[in-house]
Amino acid sequence: MKKFFAFATLLLSCFTLQVNAQDYTEQDPAKHTPRVFPMPVKHLTMKSEILGVDKNFSVFLPKSYEKEPDRKYPVLYLLHGHGENDWEWANIPVSMINERISQVTADGSAAEMIIVQPNATEHQSGYFNKEGWMYEDYFFKELIPLIERNFRVIPDKGHRSIAGLSMGGGGSFYYGCRHADMFSSVYAISAAVGSFASPNARPQRMAGGVNQNIFQANVDLENVPEEQLAQMKTVAWTLDCGDDDFLFAGNVQTYQQMKKLGMNIQFRTREGVHATYYWYEALGYALRFATRHFSDQCK
């Protein structure tokens, strides 16, 4: 019996040594498939005659797009920030953007819509017209017409919205002011608007890739022409900025100016800085806000 116990102890000891010597194994990648999100995404390029270059852009299509070929959809133009592109809005990869969009459409709080992400980084950066780079002209004379020719959007103000963050927040606000006849709503996140000076401001005269002089020369809220002012009052606006964002003071200032002008504007803030986690959450709010202000409650 003693010999049996000694033998059993030896076997257990050998087994323990073997387990301790190799306590992990590699997974078989073939057993895993990438996550598939319900919204197809098209990464496209167009030849811009205005800019004289090829311009990339991306289009998120609703999950019902292929199943309902006669259906038309509202459209949201979603502008990225400085140094980003149409693949990484707010430094968030396409898969996570798709996931966020899917969440707020699946629970019914946002409508299915076509979402267009332009690219304002390649070659030169920014959404403003400037010498040698007429990006605003490209956006309204080439990009939007191309989208409306090739995708089943409802091509009117009531079903067209715009949003963006940082440089793109300033761009969406700027486009809403200058082209108020084109958009039902504007949702500007951590936007480079107003005066960029604040206690936590960056020392240079650039905020989120936007030159303050250029912005204020094109968006003068102190001297808005009456006709433009009337058009701006037909747009629903939101400024959404974190309470510790270095652009917070400029957003508050702009909100107050817009309220004095009689705009339909909201100001939203949560705890946060100029960072990706804030923008990921804000994207859901932007989609819901656009939905509420489309002409019809699209389903």
Side-chain angles (χ1 to χ4, degrees), residues 245-292:
D245 195 310
F246 74 98
L247 293 173
F248 182 79
N251 277 257
V252 172
Q253 175 194 44
T254 301
Y255 166 74
Q256 292 171 335
Q257 288 180 301
M258 295 286 276
K259 288 295 286 185
K260 286 181 181 179
L261 292 172
M263 298 296 142
N264 176 17
I265 188 167
Q266 301 175 357
F267 182 76
R268 296 290 177 265
T269 187
R270 297 174 297 285
E271 183 178 1
V273 297
H274 203 76
T276 297
Y277 71 87
Y278 190 93
W279 304 328
Y280 180 81
E281 183 179 4
L283 177 58
Y285 291 114
L287 296 173
R288 297 182 186 103
F289 184 76
T291 297
R292 289 200 302 272

Side-chain angles (χ1 to χ4, degrees), residues 4 52 130 150 206 242:
F4 172 78
K130 54 187 177 182
N150 291 278
M206 296 287 286

